[in-house]
Amino acid sequence: MESAALYLSLKLAFWTCCLILPVAIIVARVLAWGRFRGKAICEALVMLPLVLPPTVLGYYLLVGLSPSAGLGKLAGQLFGAPLVFSFNGILIASLIANLPFAVQPVQRAFEAVPMNVRQAAWVSGLSNWQTFRHVELPLAWPGIVSALALTFAHTLGEFGVILMIGGNIPGETQTLSLALYDRVQAFQYDQAGIMAATLLAISFIAIAIVHATARRSGARVNG
Amino acid sequence: MINRVLALPLAAGLWLAASCAPVASAAENATLIVAAASSLRLAVSEIASVYRQKTGQQVKLSFGSTGNLVRQIEEGAPFTQFLAADEASAERLVQNGKASGPAQVLVQGRLALAIAKDRTIETDAQLQGIKRALGNGSIRAFAIANPKLAPYGKAAEQALQRAGLWDGLNGHIVMAENVGQAVQFVASGAADAALVAEALLKAPAVSSSVRHVPVDTSLYDPVRQSMVLLNSAGQQARAFHAFLRSEDARSIFAKYGFDVPDL
């Protein structure tokens, strides 16, 4: 088994989860309870990567991040290397592609926190931050765990975007999904089979976690 | 509850974070990232492993269609050298300042007609068997590499045109992203036949599932495969570049059916 590819996939999934978590919590909370103009547009933007063909995202990232583009030039000076065909580049792509998978479960979890529970906290003299920290967050935990499991699994399965902006560079951008594609073209079906089974197992575990936490979250809010 | 739920991902995360540092530095030491045309996959993989045994130097290989790799290099991909399936691509990189050395012809490749094992289509160098198979409807899918991206795809298109088959195959052509994928299409039986690089048909998993014959060389322009050092090439890249023209490498190329030019 290609351990470098597995390691790279896990590293990408780990960093995607770490960086997307705070963003997802803030965005989800605003979308769950906020009332503001253009909310529908914001929600649509967050959900967009769910329906967008990966090649469309890949195309815009390739154009936007290439060293000749303004954004890519800036990032190049910042990181000292171009973003396309690098780990940082596929991390950015992964963060964008995973936004709906991270926000949606957390938003649903916040929405499920009853208003009277929050009001009770405020009446008890808790500040907004204390209410968030001690009431909302503990109640929303199952949603956050779901979001992380989904993001993790979805990152491992990301293919089209990474192929377009990451190339297929071993140890840098060749994730497990790409290595599987690469081995099939190298006629190494036994290795490809092991990789496919690994991805299958990880995906299954992630979905099992999502379902287990969904059941638990239902039990908590009702009980 | 929270602690129990979080324990596993947290432990996994810590392990990853802890193991990040050593692997990152190991990746920096491996300064050889070779972009190579798919047609070279078997031969260059073997050469790289021989090179590693001899020198201890790890060589990272990234395979793809020549057209895709050129695009990636122009967009700033961190390759140190490029092994193309044609001459024009390497020369183009020299002209637009992405390459640091002159393009050199590495090998000359052969186009082969491959037929999926259980099909009854005849294998002949003039592709007349394909014409007959088309007539009796036994060709549903004919795989070639995309001529816009892959020199072997272009050679395949040329051969089919010169053999007077191109129009007849209209609607039956399946385009692969690179020549390796075209081989995979015919080896898996998904395509009935394919025009591909002969060098890729020596893989055990492939040779057992296709019959093949080299295409008559009058049907296509010579596929001269060039190599070039890119701007990021250092001492180690130059050493591997030289090894690609060594006697060891030449005998491996020859084993896979490439014609190796005299030095």
Side-chain angles (χ1 to χ4, degrees):
Chain A
M1 165 92 147
E2 194 62 51
S3 60
L6 176 63
Y7 173 80
L8 190 70
S9 275
L10 293 176
K11 185 171 140 188
L12 183 66
F14 172 71
W15 282 112
T16 303
C17 285
C18 284
L19 296 178
I20 212 167
L21 184 62
V23 178
I25 291 175
I26 293 166
V27 172
R29 195 171 177 281
V30 169
L31 291 179
W33 293 319
R35 286 204 190 89
F36 52 92
R37 280 171 69 95
K39 184 177 162 181
I41 293 174
C42 286
E43 278 191 297
L45 276 177
V46 168
M47 295 305 290
L48 195 56
L50 203 60
V51 292
L52 204 62
T55 44
V56 173
L57 183 59
Y59 170 75
Y60 283 121
L61 282 170
L62 196 60
V63 172
L65 295 182
S66 90
S68 51
L71 197 64
K73 203 178 276 177
L74 187 77
Q77 284 159 355
L78 217 61
F79 295 102
L83 277 177
V84 281
F85 313 113
S86 72
F87 180 77
N88 289 335
I90 60 172
L91 181 58
I92 289 174
S94 169
L95 287 171
I96 295 172
N98 275 299
L99 207 55
F101 295 91
V103 170
Q104 189 79 349
V106 183
Q107 187 182 342
R108 293 288 162 266
F110 278 134
E111 283 168 354
V113 177
M115 199 53 181
N116 56 15
V117 173
R118 298 172 68 212
Q119 284 164 344
W122 294 329
V123 169
S124 310
L126 267 65
S127 68
N128 268 338
W129 168 252
Q130 285 170 321
T131 308
F132 172 71
R133 170 79 186 74
H134 297 292
V135 178
E136 294 167 11
L137 210 51
L139 283 174
W141 259 118
I144 292 172
V145 173
S146 281
L148 288 179
L150 272 179
T151 302
F152 196 88
H154 184 245
T155 306
L156 293 190
E158 192 58 69
F159 179 77
V161 181
I162 296 183
L163 189 67
M164 277 186 83
I165 73 152
N168 185 15
I169 303 168
E172 183 70 30
T173 60
Q174 194 186 73
T175 59
L176 201 53
S177 313
L178 266 90
L180 168 54
Y181 179 71
D182 196 65
R183 291 312 172 278
V184 169
Q185 293 191 7
F187 329 114
Q188 294 165 341
Y189 292 105
D190 42 349
Q191 282 190 38
I194 295 169
M195 290 180 194
T198 308
L199 284 169
L200 182 69
I202 297 174
S203 305
F204 179 78
I205 292 167
I207 289 298
I209 291 174
V210 171
H211 275 264
T213 53
R215 206 173 304 119
R216 182 168 293 185
S217 117
R220 286 182 132 221
V221 173
N222 296 334
Chain B
M1 194 286 287
I2 289 171
N3 291 342
R4 236 185 321 132
V5 171
L6 279 184
L8 192 70
L10 213 61
L14 284 175
W15 165 75
L16 261 171
S19 57
C20 245
V23 170
S25 62
E28 277 158 20
N29 286 341
T31 48
L32 277 185
I33 314 179
V34 181
S38 298
S39 49
L40 297 167
R41 185 189 281 268
L42 300 176
V44 171
S45 296
E46 189 173 328
I47 291 169
S49 88
V50 168
Y51 189 68
R52 193 182 58 227
Q53 281 161 18
K54 286 201 160 181
T55 64
Q57 172 69 50
Q58 184 88 20
V59 181
K60 287 187 185 177
L61 301 168
S62 184
F63 294 101
S65 60
T66 296
N68 257 336
L69 292 171
V70 167
R71 178 183 63 80
Q72 292 181 2
I73 291 163
E74 289 181 344
E75 281 160 357
F79 299 120
T80 51
Q81 52 226 104
F82 175 44
L83 315 178
D86 63 3
E87 280 183 295
S89 300
E91 273 159 15
R92 174 173 151 181
L93 291 174
V94 173
Q95 271 161 22
N96 64 22
K98 299 286 176 188
S100 63
Q104 294 172 304
V105 173
L106 182 62
V107 292
Q108 186 165 325
R110 290 187 208 141
L111 191 68
L113 170 67
I115 307 286
K117 192 174 49 182
D118 51 350
R119 311 298 202 278
T120 50
I121 306 160
E122 299 154 58
T123 48
D124 69 295
Q126 299 294 334
L127 308 180
Q128 292 311 301
I130 297 296
K131 195 168 271 177
R132 281 188 286 275
L134 254 181
N136 65 31
S138 56
I139 288 187
R140 280 175 300 109
F142 191 99
I144 64 170
N146 188 341
K148 289 194 188 71
L149 299 171
Y152 279 94
K154 206 183 265 180
E157 185 183 24
Q158 234 169 33
L160 291 173
Q161 281 168 344
R162 288 187 196 167
L165 288 162
W166 185 250
D167 293 332
L169 278 170
N170 185 19
H172 297 284
I173 295 278
V174 181
M175 290 216 191
E177 193 258 320
N178 60 62
V179 72
Q181 198 174 46
V183 173
Q184 183 220 322
F185 286 166
V186 70
S188 64
D192 305 293
L195 278 179
V196 292
E198 191 186 21
L200 290 177
L201 299 173
K202 313 266 178 184
V206 176
S207 59
S208 62
S209 47
V210 299
R211 292 175 288 125
H212 80 274
V213 62
V215 173
D216 191 295
T217 50
S218 67
L219 289 180
Y220 62 97
D221 295 340
V223 185
R224 275 193 282 270
Q225 307 200 217
S226 291
M227 64 173 184
V228 72
L229 282 165
L230 302 174
N231 287 340
S232 59
Q235 208 55 48
Q236 289 160 318
R238 281 167 208 284
F240 182 64
H241 215 60
F243 186 74
L244 283 166
R245 311 196 82 181
S246 70
E247 217 33 68
D248 287 329
R250 291 161 65 87
S251 67
I252 292 171
F253 278 127
K255 187 176 88 181
Y256 284 99
F258 287 106
D259 291 318
V260 189
D262 295 327
L263 289 178

